[in-house]
Amino acid sequence: MKTVEEYYDVVVVGAGHAGCEAALAAARLGCETIIFTVSMNSVALMPCNPNIGGSSKGHLVRELDALGGEMGKVIDQTFIQSKMLNSSKGPAVHSLRAQADKANYSKTMRQVLQNQENLDIRQMEVTEILAEDGKMTGVQTYSGAIYRCKAVVLCTGTYLKARCIYGEISTHTGPNGLQSANYLTDSLKALGIKMYRFKTGTPARIDKNTIDFSKMQEQKGDERVVPFSFTTDPESVQIDQASCWLTYTNETTHEIIRGNLDRSPLYSGAIEGTGPRYCPSIEDKVVKFPDKNRHQVFIEPEGLETNEMYVGGMSSSLPEDVQYAMYRSVPGLEHAKIRSEGLFSGGQFNGSSGYEEAASQGLIAGINAARKLQGKEGIVIDRSQGYIGVLIDDLVTKESHEPYRMMTSRAEYRLLLRQDNADIRLTKIGYEVGLIDEERYQKLLKKEEMIEKEIERVEHTNVGTTEAVQALLESYESTPLTSGTTLAELIRRPEFSYEKIAPIDKHREELPYDVKEQVDINIKYDGYIKRQMRQVEQFKKLENKRIPENINYDEIQSLRLEAKQKLNQIRPSSIGQASRISGVSPADVSVLLVYLSSK
């Protein structure tokens, strides 16, 4: 039988959220690209929570969009509810979260892939990575077909030797009953790649028609929806939204769980992998927080054309009969019928959890695969430029003993890395890479110009102690003026904003909402922003101290043994990155600086 052999620039293995972004980026940058998936039904699949965004994850999606990624555009077309989280707090932690129609999301992303120039899709399992002299030369599929290429991007997600486990039941399957990829792991090990098993869980899905919503609290979306993509017309996302619902576990629920812990594979040892700390199973919550007599349970629709409801907060690996009893002890779920249940194990390939984290890494991988083939230097988003930079840097420098989840607290410069200014921070990089077109780039430059001019005007517009000014101050219970001041100084008062001073701003021109938002934030938080920018300057000094690729850490005598091992393993590109490696102390960094200076 003749072996099929084809030729491409880039091969992407896996068509989840990472694979989609990687393949689209490579193809859009001119590389002949092919993406492999075990099933067309798994393209941009949401096997767990049916939403995009959330705390810090919303930042990632907006940064993806600013760089030319696709996730923000697709969720804007397919969401059924949208909410800005943490809106009562400062802008650094505002995060968009959208409930997705997950079937429509997958279908829409699949259509994007199918219509992308330079991109082919194959429904086929990749079983082997081909390499010669340490360089990737292609992949081989289960059928024996060979696809030659110059770069391979692995986005295998939770499919490698995956197992689905609940109670005493264990099946070798990927998410949603799709086939697992059982051969590629051995090929990767042969290439010297270390493999670890992580666990990720998912709750049951409940039949909507069997839920008593009268015993739950309705959770509505925002009155005014903010789109994820900076290119989406804000008016196009003002839709009739679906509701989510809030209920709680109770002591009866907890007694059922505690009485069956011996049957939980998490506690019996049947599950060997480490689970995500920030998305624990309900068993873990009951055991680790015995003082809490209830836990939140969110009932979320999985789409407009399905009766499946996601039960957020009750991920479990308990046996089927226990899960039935557990769910039916929750108010509103007394007669619930479970439509699908279980927990899948496999671990996303590089140790992260979440669709948004995956998509972010996929985009950067796709960009850099294309740039390598084009003889260009790869792009690196550093920790001061975006959450994407924090995510990738943490995965590289910090040893992950559990699935990594993005959180705002992981970012040192989160006042600068807001979701509202992701376009200003990263669109220029997307433009230089080639994923942002000229029209969108010029719109950004125009926006920046409007922001700069308006801030300058407000900073230099004086107001006196007129009757109108004093009346406005009194209406907001603000201290009256004893002498003249600027509009900017009034905006900086906690009780005021750019919009609230409009009645006394006689020369104001009508500006777009996003411009006014940036003017307000930049003026109100001016002191804090400048302080973080000074911190970034210090950070950049260490990041700009590059470490030669061929450095031999073993010959640096004053380095501790642990530091030598970690530095040889991770091979940091800069002193800054080296300083963040677990096991490399400040004293080791000082030794390294002295050594580099002597060279």
Side-chain angles (χ1 to χ4, degrees):
M1 186 176 73
K2 189 176 180 181
T3 301
V4 172
E5 191 160 334
E6 295 188 39
Y7 296 82
Y8 288 87
D9 294 320
V10 177
V11 166
V12 178
V13 184
H17 302 280
C20 289
E21 297 290 352
L24 289 170
R28 288 167 177 171
L29 293 175
C31 296
E32 288 296 327
T33 305
I34 186 169
I35 184 170
F36 288 94
T37 176
V38 294
S39 168
M40 293 300 284
N41 292 325
S42 69
V43 174
L45 179 68
M46 292 182 177
C48 195
N49 52 320
N51 59 66
I52 294 294
S55 184
S56 75
K57 293 168 176 279
H59 292 66
L60 288 174
V61 181
R62 289 208 126 198
E63 290 180 359
L64 263 173
D65 184 74
L67 288 166
E70 197 66 27
M71 178 176 267
K73 296 175 184 175
V74 175
I75 189 59
D76 281 347
Q77 296 175 58
T78 59
F79 79 96
I80 56 178
Q81 191 197 81
S82 179
K83 211 163 194 171
M84 184 70 77
L85 304 184
N86 305 322
S87 56
S88 62
K89 301 177 182 177
V93 294
H94 291 181
S95 295
L96 263 177
R97 181 184 186 274
Q99 198 71 24
D101 185 317
K102 71 177 196 178
N104 195 15
Y105 184 95
S106 176
K107 182 184 77 172
T108 303
M109 185 66 84
R110 189 161 64 243
Q111 289 171 342
V112 173
L113 295 181
Q114 289 169 336
N115 291 300
Q116 177 59 51
E117 189 179 357
N118 299 327
L119 180 59
D120 292 337
I121 309 174
R122 290 283 191 283
Q123 180 173 287
M124 208 171 286
E125 182 184 347
V126 171
T127 57
E128 188 175 354
I129 305 296
L130 306 176
E132 293 177 11
D133 300 324
K135 290 185 177 180
M136 300 301 108
T137 60
V139 302
Q140 186 166 347
T141 67
Y142 185 77
S143 68
I146 291 174
Y147 294 82
R148 300 288 179 190
C149 65
K150 301 168 188 173
V152 177
V153 183
L154 290 174
C155 301
T156 52
T158 57
Y159 286 81
L160 296 184
K161 290 193 174 178
R163 285 191 298 154
C164 174
I165 304 172
Y166 57 100
E168 300 84 9
I169 306 300
S170 177
T171 54
H172 288 270
T173 177
N176 278 31
L178 297 169
Q179 72 179 74
S180 57
N182 294 319
Y183 300 97
L184 187 56
T185 302
D186 294 335
S187 173
L188 295 172
K189 286 181 177 178
L191 290 172
I193 298 173
K194 289 185 178 179
M195 306 295 288
Y196 300 91
R197 183 176 286 280
F198 283 162
K199 174 198 81 75
T200 180
T202 190
R205 307 306 193 266
I206 303 293
D207 188 334
K208 180 180 179 180
N209 295 325
T210 64
I211 298 173
D212 185 352
F213 292 109
S214 68
K215 296 180 179 179
M216 301 179 179
Q217 300 168 29
E218 188 173 11
Q219 308 284 300
K220 294 187 175 182
D222 290 339
E223 279 190 33
R224 177 75 184 173
V225 172
V226 176
F228 267 104
S229 175
F230 293 96
T231 64
T232 299
D233 177 4
E235 296 308 315
S236 70
V237 294
Q238 309 311 318
I239 64 170
D240 291 332
Q241 300 180 59
S243 288
C244 296
W245 304 84
L246 173 64
T247 184
Y248 295 89
T249 63
N250 50 56
E251 194 50 42
T252 302
T253 317
H254 300 177
E255 285 176 8
I256 293 168
I257 292 168
R258 284 191 290 263
N260 288 278
L261 284 176
D262 60 317
R263 299 180 65 197
S264 167
L266 280 174
Y267 290 89
S268 68
I271 292 179
E272 307 142 10
T274 304
R277 179 187 304 268
Y278 301 104
C279 189
S281 69
I282 189 64
E283 299 100 289
D284 270 342
K285 285 192 275 192
V286 170
V287 170
K288 291 177 180 176
F289 305 102
D291 55 317
K292 295 198 72 170
N293 56 17
R294 69 176 191 172
H295 294 281
Q296 288 184 323
V297 178
F298 290 96
I299 308 299
E300 303 170 339
E302 298 223 323
L304 296 178
E305 297 182 8
T306 177
N307 286 331
E308 283 189 307
M309 303 292 281
Y310 180 83
V311 189
M314 289 194 75
S315 168
S316 176
S317 63
L318 285 162
E320 188 174 5
D321 62 305
V322 180
Q323 288 198 36
Y324 265 104
M326 176 183 76
Y327 284 115
R328 287 176 173 172
S329 70
V330 175
L333 301 183
E334 293 89 347
H335 305 288
K337 288 186 179 178
I338 297 177
R339 296 176 67 95
S340 65
E341 64 280 315
L343 174 141
F344 56 87
S345 245
Q348 275 122 326
F349 183 76
N350 47 10
S352 67
S353 70
Y355 313 141
E356 302 83 359
E357 288 90 339
S360 299
Q361 296 162 63
L363 176 70
I364 300 300
I367 289 172
N368 285 337
R371 289 178 72 83
K372 180 178 175 63
L373 301 190
Q374 294 162 357
K376 298 175 182 176
E377 191 174 337
I379 66 159
V380 176
I381 309 295
D382 71 40
R383 299 181 74 91
S384 69
Q385 292 175 300
Y387 276 78
I388 292 175
V390 175
L391 165 68
I392 294 174
D393 188 65
D394 279 355
L395 286 172
V396 170
T397 60
K398 292 178 170 55
E399 294 181 82
S400 288
H401 298 292
E402 61 188 57
Y404 180 98
R405 178 175 177 151
M406 193 72 250
M407 303 177 72
T408 53
S409 59
R410 296 189 191 273
E412 306 93 309
Y413 312 114
R414 57 183 172 272
L415 184 56
L416 301 180
L417 308 183
R418 307 183 309 274
Q419 56 91 31
D420 58 78
N421 68 354
D423 59 336
I424 295 171
R425 290 186 281 114
L426 296 174
T427 301
K428 288 177 183 175
I429 296 175
Y431 175 71
E432 290 164 5
V433 164
L435 291 178
I436 299 295
D437 62 28
E438 186 67 34
E439 182 183 0
R440 181 172 173 184
Y441 181 58
Q442 290 303 322
K443 282 183 179 178
L444 173 74
L445 296 182
K446 180 66 175 174
K447 176 180 175 178
E448 288 181 324
E449 182 185 353
M450 286 191 286
I451 293 168
E452 188 178 334
K453 282 184 177 179
E454 186 64 358
I455 290 175
E456 179 77 10
R457 183 189 72 81
V458 173
E459 290 279 12
H460 294 89
T461 299
N462 293 294
V463 292
T465 57
T466 65
E467 186 177 331
V469 171
Q470 301 290 38
L472 183 69
L473 294 174
E474 185 181 349
S475 69
Y476 285 101
E477 299 181 352
S478 189
T479 306
L481 294 177
T482 56
S483 61
T485 189
T486 64
L487 290 174
E489 285 304 319
L490 289 181
I491 292 172
R492 289 188 181 103
R493 293 188 177 191
E495 61 273 18
F496 274 107
S497 67
Y498 177 78
E499 281 298 304
K500 288 177 179 176
I501 64 161
I504 58 172
D505 186 358
K506 304 301 181 187
H507 302 288
R508 172 182 297 212
E509 295 180 6
E510 189 53 43
L511 294 169
Y513 171 80
D514 57 347
V515 171
K516 292 188 285 188
E517 180 183 42
Q518 291 305 307
V519 171
D520 187 60
I521 291 171
N522 278 280
I523 290 175
K524 188 172 281 293
Y525 296 92
D526 180 54
Y528 299 103
I529 290 172
K530 285 178 178 173
R531 185 169 68 186
Q532 283 217 333
M533 290 179 77
R534 288 193 293 271
Q535 293 170 349
V536 168
E537 286 175 16
Q538 296 302 313
F539 162 80
K540 291 283 191 184
K541 287 179 182 177
L542 291 178
E543 294 301 298
N544 291 334
K545 291 186 186 296
R546 312 302 292 176
I547 299 176
E549 287 185 13
N550 61 350
I551 188 172
N552 184 357
Y553 293 104
D554 291 325
E555 70 179 27
I556 308 176
Q557 294 181 354
S558 300
L559 276 180
R560 294 176 309 111
L561 179 61
E562 183 186 10
K564 288 180 181 180
Q565 290 173 340
K566 293 293 179 67
L567 290 166
N568 275 318
Q569 175 189 346
I570 294 173
R571 311 295 300 178
S573 61
S574 70
I575 290 292
Q577 193 176 56
S579 69
R580 295 188 292 275
I581 297 173
S582 173
V584 177
S585 70
D588 295 320
V589 173
S590 296
V591 168
L592 195 52
L593 280 168
V594 171
Y595 176 81
L596 292 175
S597 297
S598 70
K599 294 292 182 181

